[in-house]
């Protein structure tokens, strides 16, 4: 069971356009405003991408390759911790599917090919809901949420 694979799917609806949602994912100067990281690539299939912390250290935390890029409706990337870049078994896949609905967008993020119960699996199950909530808030209000907020004491 150590190599069992799993997936995670998150769907949200955003008062925005497919173009703005796609740009918010791929343009570093936008992603840093709601994610605290920049996604850096030329976004051509076969190209590499890096998830770079938006601070003075500019730490590369995640890496991968662009598998498919069809602006503004679909982006598929491989995904791994930078420290595990050389281990193909540690790579997973993320698909951003962007579908226009009247005056809004349905964004479906599917993170699959994950090793079940791995650190990455546990991390993305907490991370994606917060990041995608921040993306939604940013596109609808101009302000992302605090991704590091803690629950208030009762």
């Amino acid at each position: 069971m150590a190599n069992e694979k799993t997936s995670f799917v998150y769907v949200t609806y955003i008062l925005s356009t497919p173009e703005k949602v796609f740009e918010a994912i791929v343009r570093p100067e936008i992603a840093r405003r709601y994610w605290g990281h920049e996604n850096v690539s030329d976004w051509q299939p076969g190209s590499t991408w890096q998830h770079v912390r938006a601070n003075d250290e500019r730490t590369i935390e995640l890496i991968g390759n662009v598998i498919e890029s069809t602006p503004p409706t679909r982006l598929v990337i491989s995904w791994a911790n930078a420290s595990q870049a050389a281990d193909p078994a540690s790579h997973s896949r993320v698909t951003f599917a962007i579908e226009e609905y009247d005056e809004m967008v349905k964004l479906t993020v599917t993170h699959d090919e994950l090793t079940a119960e791995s650190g990455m699996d546990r991390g993305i199950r907490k991370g994606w809901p917060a990041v995608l909530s921040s993306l939604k808030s940013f596109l609808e209000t101009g302000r992302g949420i605090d991704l590091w907020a803690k629950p208030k004491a009762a």
Side-chain angles (χ1 to χ4, degrees):
M1 288 277 201
N3 292 326
E4 184 179 335
K5 297 295 183 180
T6 190
S7 63
F8 178 83
V9 178
Y10 190 93
V11 178
T12 189
Y13 293 83
I14 305 170
L15 292 172
S16 190
T17 65
E19 293 79 10
K20 287 181 180 177
V21 172
F22 194 89
E23 286 184 359
I25 296 164
V26 301
R27 289 187 47 201
E29 69 275 13
I30 299 174
R32 73 185 345 249
R33 296 179 61 198
Y34 70 88
W35 203 331
H37 289 79
E38 298 173 1
N39 295 316
V40 180
S41 179
D42 66 8
W43 303 109
Q44 299 303 307
S47 293
T48 60
W49 77 276
Q50 298 177 331
H51 191 62
V52 181
R53 186 168 291 279
N55 61 13
D56 291 340
E57 288 82 33
R58 311 276 308 147
T59 306
I60 298 170
E61 297 189 349
L62 300 166
I63 55 87
N65 293 301
V66 179
I67 298 167
E68 180 184 340
S69 182
T70 311
T73 59
R74 188 170 169 84
L75 177 67
V76 183
I77 57 176
S78 63
W79 177 287
N81 282 319
S83 63
Q84 297 175 309
D87 177 14
S90 72
H91 290 242
S92 54
R93 179 178 60 196
V94 177
T95 301
F96 299 91
I98 302 165
E99 186 177 354
E100 191 167 19
Y101 270 61
D102 292 331
E103 296 178 22
M104 64 182 159
V105 167
K106 176 184 178 185
L107 172 63
T108 303
V109 175
T110 303
H111 197 142
D112 60 5
E113 299 181 8
L114 284 157
T115 300
E117 301 300 321
S118 65
M120 182 65 75
D121 181 27
R122 289 188 299 275
I124 64 97
R125 290 177 188 282
K126 293 177 183 171
W128 279 125
V131 166
L132 296 172
S133 294
S134 190
L135 167 64
K136 177 179 171 60
S137 292
F138 176 75
L139 288 173
E140 292 179 347
T141 71
R143 193 171 140 229
I145 64 171
D146 178 1
L147 294 175
W148 314 114
K150 302 283 186 234
K152 289 189 176 185

